[in-house]
Amino acid sequence: EAAVTQSPRNKVTVTGGNVTLSCRQTNSHNYMYWYRQDTGHGLRLIHYSYGAGNLQIGDVPDGYKATRTTQEDFFLLLELASPSQTSLYFCASSDWGEGQNTLYFGAGTRLSVL
Amino acid sequence: GDSVTQTEGLVTLTEGLPVMLNCTYQTIYSNPFLFWYVHYLNESPRLLLKSSTDNKRTEHQGFHATLHKSSSSFHLQKSSAQLSDSALYYCALSDPGYQNFYFGKGTSLTVIP
């Protein structure tokens, strides 16, 4: 079974604070994704990457940076957190090929920005 | 661009009644993959079923869906709802050209006794 681990599971910070969300996958997948989940909006893609050192912009990138340091590790950075970034964040991994395009999600990080 | 529409945001059903959650999509890609993901409270979202074959029924865990390219639809159905089906359901589309996934806004299904 594919494994995606996120940390921390819960985080509280203040407006203007600096937050890093971590994600590690042991699936040997090339692609990794950061989503945020909000009621009424569903899952929205923030950033994604197809390998170490690569970064692709998603649909809601404003206020977020990301970095893929290795095939396994993908980080989401909020350098000046705002209350609008209070959300449930999911990391996911996937590979692409014949029938191999399934997303595997982590357990999520619940972020509150006060 | 690619998009997925789920018309119902909230669905409440009585146990035993049939489930139908709507999903339509838009894509320029001729061979998309369509997915249903399920997100139970306090768990990770996970794949429920997927298909890329036109007019072929796909089944898993009592749920089924058929991709109809003629109507750009991939509706999720189940003959009899169970309390344990209460969850958030996402329809999604993948575009192999861009190695990306497009999600609908989700349908929250609540099954009551």
Side-chain angles (χ1 to χ4, degrees):
Chain A
E1 179 70 23
V4 180
T5 304
Q6 293 183 234
S7 63
R9 294 295 313 278
N10 294 280
K11 177 72 177 178
V12 180
T13 190
V14 295
T15 300
N18 199 319
V19 176
T20 299
L21 307 185
S22 302
C23 178
R24 166 164 284 203
Q25 57 104 356
T26 57
N27 310 322
S28 300
H29 287 164
N30 290 326
Y31 283 79
M32 296 185 73
Y33 305 81
W34 277 107
Y35 290 92
R36 60 177 291 174
Q37 183 188 69
D38 304 285
T39 303
H41 294 279
L43 287 165
R44 292 183 290 175
L45 181 65
I46 304 171
H47 290 297
Y48 66 106
S49 166
Y50 57 72
N54 175 263
L55 182 65
Q56 303 293 317
I57 295 173
D59 300 319
V60 290
D62 292 346
Y64 301 96
K65 293 184 179 179
T67 181
R68 180 89 176 270
T69 54
T70 64
Q71 186 185 37
E72 294 78 19
D73 298 303
F74 195 30
F75 301 93
L76 186 68
L77 297 83
L78 293 73
E79 294 184 331
L80 287 172
S82 73
S84 64
Q85 294 176 308
T86 293
S87 186
L88 180 58
Y89 291 85
F90 286 104
C91 176
S93 74
S94 177
D95 212 342
W96 289 87
E98 193 64 34
Q100 297 302 315
N101 54 351
T102 297
L103 276 170
Y104 294 89
F105 286 89
T109 296
R110 188 168 295 279
L111 175 66
S112 296
V113 183
L114 306 178
Chain B
D2 294 350
S3 65
V4 174
T5 301
Q6 294 179 248
T7 51
E8 310 98 353
L10 296 168
V11 173
T12 302
L13 284 175
T14 300
E15 188 179 17
L17 290 181
V19 178
M20 180 158 171
L21 306 184
N22 291 311
C23 173
T24 57
Y25 65 90
Q26 185 176 329
T27 182
I28 61 172
Y29 188 67
S30 59
N31 292 301
F33 271 85
L34 270 294
F35 306 79
W36 278 100
Y37 281 85
V38 59
H39 185 200
Y40 296 102
L41 189 63
N42 296 323
E43 296 185 10
S44 308
R46 60 179 173 82
L47 179 68
L48 180 58
L49 46 80
K50 70 178 181 181
S51 178
S52 63
T53 306
D54 199 12
N55 298 316
K56 180 181 177 182
R57 176 170 161 146
T58 299
E59 300 190 42
H60 187 60
Q61 295 187 324
F63 288 90
H64 63 92
T66 303
L67 175 59
H68 292 296
K69 293 184 179 182
S70 60
S71 58
S72 298
S73 67
F74 191 57
H75 306 316
L76 183 67
Q77 299 182 67
K78 187 177 185 183
S79 59
S80 176
Q82 299 177 291
L83 298 176
S84 58
D85 294 330
S86 296
L88 185 56
Y89 292 82
Y90 286 105
C91 184
L93 162 76
S94 77
D95 179 348
Y98 290 95
Q99 286 82 44
N100 208 340
F101 296 83
Y102 301 88
F103 283 86
K105 292 186 177 181
T107 298
S108 178
L109 174 65
T110 301
V111 181
I112 59 175

